[in-house]
């Protein structure tokens, strides 16, 4: 019997390094890395002046540390942000259990403060290599979140970066109400969410390590860029169910579930084609021998017919 347990990371100080190791083994360091010293500082931070709240959790499977997650709550727009949900191994059962336990725990904590969340959002990397999505963690998230009815917004989005790197991202969102995101989210609401995400989440985090002026200037540039590029929202993209056997190694195609066995089908068809060609050549040889050497022609023709029947 498999058992799961959720514990706040700060309550298991001796296992913080192990939890961080799970994070490092899961995320794509090239596109999604956050300085681990900064993460550890925020795990134990007790700064009551910050408007947004951070939540860090460990998942234990059969009493063994198996996962690490980070969430943020934006009170103005009532939005819950998934920063990371990492498990030691790619395990669908553990991922969904971890996700649901965190959502329930955070929801209960916020309820005691008379808060709740209308939206759950996360960033999905659009980084590509030769036309293939190459962020391993985001590829896995695509697969997991698609089943949980998240959608990708068509609005422009840029992840704030203060280390000279800029990668392409999109926002995946889920409404906690009965209505769809399509009917609820307006341009103004989207800008409000991104603005709070930038200033209260990223800004509050990075002002511990960079000057306030540098952080505010970077955020302001990104917001202005989004406002210039934004166009009337017509529809949102459902997250394609990525069920690709190479997502562990990155370079995962964004495909539907049906074609995933295509490579196996091609190999099987190729083998069948080779066998057909081989038997066809043998059959032709039999016919030629029977015709030119005229040895028991009828029997050999019958043998050839039998061989052809076997091929069919």
């Amino acid at each position: 019997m498999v058992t799961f347990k959720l514990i706040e990371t700060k309550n298991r100080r001796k296992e913080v390094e192990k939890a961080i190791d799970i994070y490092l083994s899961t995320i794509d360091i090239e596109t999604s890395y956050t300085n681990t010293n900064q993460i550890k500082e925020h795990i134990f931070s007790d700064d009551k002046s910050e408007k947004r709240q951070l939540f860090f959790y460990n998942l234990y499977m059969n009493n063994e540390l198996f996962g690490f997650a980070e969430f943020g709550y934006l009170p103005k727009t009532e939005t819950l942000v998934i920063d990371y949900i990492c498990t030691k191994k790619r395990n669908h059962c553990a991922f969904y259990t971890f996700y649901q336990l965190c959502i329930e725990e955070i929801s209960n904590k916020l309820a005691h403060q008379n808060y709740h969340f209308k939206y759950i959002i996360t960033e999905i990397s659009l980084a590509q290599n030769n036309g293939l999505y190459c962020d391993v963690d985001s590829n896995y998230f695509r697969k997991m979140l698609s089943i949980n009815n998240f959608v990708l917004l068509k609005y422009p989005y840029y992840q704030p970066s203060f280390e000279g790197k800029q990668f392409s991202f999109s926002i995946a969102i889920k409404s906690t109400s009965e209505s769809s995101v399509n009917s609820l989210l307006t341009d103004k609401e989207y800008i409000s969410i991104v603005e709070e995400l930038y200033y209260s989440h990223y800004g509050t985090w990075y002002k511990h390590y960079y000057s306030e002026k540098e952080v505010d200037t970077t955020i302001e540039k990104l917001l202005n860029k989004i406002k210039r590029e934004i166009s009337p929202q017509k529809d949102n993209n459902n997250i394609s169910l990525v069920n690709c056997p190479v997502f562990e190694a990155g370079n995962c195609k964004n495909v539907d579930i049906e074609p995933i066995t295509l490579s196996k089908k091609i190999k099987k068809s190729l083998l069948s084609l080779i066998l057909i060609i081989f038997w066809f050549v043998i059959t032709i040889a039999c016919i030629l021998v029977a015709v030119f050497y005229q040895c028991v022609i009828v029997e050999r023709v019958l043998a050839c017919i039998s061989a052809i029947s076997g091929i069919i």
Side-chain angles (χ1 to χ4, degrees):
M1 177 178 171
V2 178
T3 61
F4 293 100
K5 182 167 59 177
L6 189 73
I7 297 178
E8 286 191 68
T9 306
K10 66 181 180 181
N11 293 334
R12 290 292 179 94
R13 285 181 171 269
K14 293 183 179 180
E15 292 187 301
V16 168
E17 291 296 337
K18 291 182 180 179
I20 294 296
D21 285 342
I22 292 175
Y23 160 78
L24 288 173
S25 67
T26 302
I27 58 99
D28 192 312
I29 293 180
E30 289 296 319
T31 59
S32 304
Y33 175 73
T34 300
N35 186 295
T36 55
N37 289 325
Q38 295 177 11
I39 295 175
K40 284 184 279 188
E41 287 178 22
H42 280 83
I43 288 173
F44 297 110
S45 174
D46 194 28
D47 189 347
K48 303 296 183 182
S49 65
E50 296 183 356
K51 293 181 181 179
R52 71 90 167 85
Q53 298 183 48
L54 288 175
F55 303 92
F56 298 92
Y57 292 105
N58 289 356
L59 176 71
Y60 291 84
M61 185 167 69
N62 294 334
N63 294 319
E64 178 186 350
L65 179 61
F66 195 81
F68 171 73
E70 176 188 330
F71 289 76
Y73 175 67
L74 310 177
K76 183 180 177 181
T77 55
E78 299 177 317
T79 301
L80 184 66
V81 182
I82 303 174
D83 283 315
Y84 307 105
I85 300 178
C86 309
T87 53
K88 187 180 292 186
K89 296 178 181 179
R90 301 293 189 188
N91 183 306
H92 298 357
C93 177
F95 180 93
Y96 281 119
T97 301
F98 200 6
Y99 168 83
Q100 294 295 345
L101 287 174
C102 287
I103 295 298
E104 184 177 350
E105 176 70 13
I106 294 171
S107 180
N108 290 335
K109 278 180 172 289
L110 293 175
H112 284 100
Q113 305 171 44
N114 292 320
Y115 287 135
H116 73 284
F117 45 88
K118 293 195 300 184
Y119 304 113
I120 305 174
I121 67 172
T122 191
E123 296 170 333
I124 296 291
S125 173
L126 301 179
Q128 294 190 13
N129 181 9
N130 294 325
L132 306 178
Y133 291 110
C134 58
D135 186 300
V136 179
D137 194 41
S138 284
N139 284 341
Y140 187 66
F141 253 49
R142 285 175 181 275
K143 182 175 181 179
M144 298 293 98
L145 298 180
S146 64
I147 303 173
N148 239 330
N149 299 319
F150 278 76
V151 295
L152 281 177
L153 295 177
K154 289 184 179 178
Y155 287 109
Y157 178 76
Y158 304 96
Q159 186 186 67
S161 175
F162 300 92
E163 299 177 356
K165 297 180 179 180
Q166 189 69 61
F167 298 101
S168 299
F169 282 83
S170 183
I171 293 289
I173 188 169
K174 176 183 179 180
S175 171
T176 58
S177 70
E178 294 297 325
S179 302
S180 69
V181 176
N182 288 347
S183 62
L184 284 179
L185 203 63
T186 64
D187 293 357
K188 185 177 179 180
E189 286 173 319
Y190 174 72
I191 291 296
S192 295
I193 290 174
V194 173
E195 194 169 23
E196 189 176 15
L197 177 66
Y198 277 1
Y199 282 109
S200 295
H201 195 52
Y202 279 101
T204 301
W205 181 292
Y206 283 112
K207 283 177 183 177
H208 288 275
Y209 313 105
Y210 299 90
S211 70
E212 184 173 343
K213 181 180 179 181
E214 182 181 2
V215 172
D216 287 343
T217 299
T218 300
I219 288 175
E220 187 177 351
K221 286 180 179 179
L222 292 179
L223 274 176
N224 288 334
K225 186 176 182 181
I226 288 175
K227 290 175 182 178
R228 286 195 306 269
E229 295 177 358
I230 209 165
S231 59
Q233 180 77 344
K234 296 178 181 179
D235 196 4
N236 299 311
N237 290 330
N238 288 326
I239 302 179
S240 296
L241 178 58
V242 175
N243 197 4
C244 177
V246 299
F247 71 76
E248 284 285 3
N251 294 337
C252 179
K253 287 186 177 179
N254 188 9
V255 296
D256 294 328
I257 190 169
E258 289 82 9
I260 63 169
T261 55
L262 184 59
S263 60
K264 292 182 179 179
K265 288 182 179 179
I266 291 174
K267 289 179 181 178
K268 185 176 180 180
S269 299
L270 185 61
L271 180 60
S272 299
L273 181 62
I274 292 172
L275 290 174
I276 289 172
I277 292 172
F278 173 77
W279 285 109
F280 181 75
V281 171
I282 295 297
T283 301
I284 294 298
C286 289
I287 293 173
L288 291 175
V289 168
V291 171
F292 288 102
Y293 289 91
Q294 297 182 354
C295 298
V296 194
I297 294 176
V298 176
E299 291 184 5
R300 292 191 176 180
V301 169
L302 289 175
C304 289
I305 294 173
S306 177
I308 293 173
S309 298
I311 294 172
I312 295 173

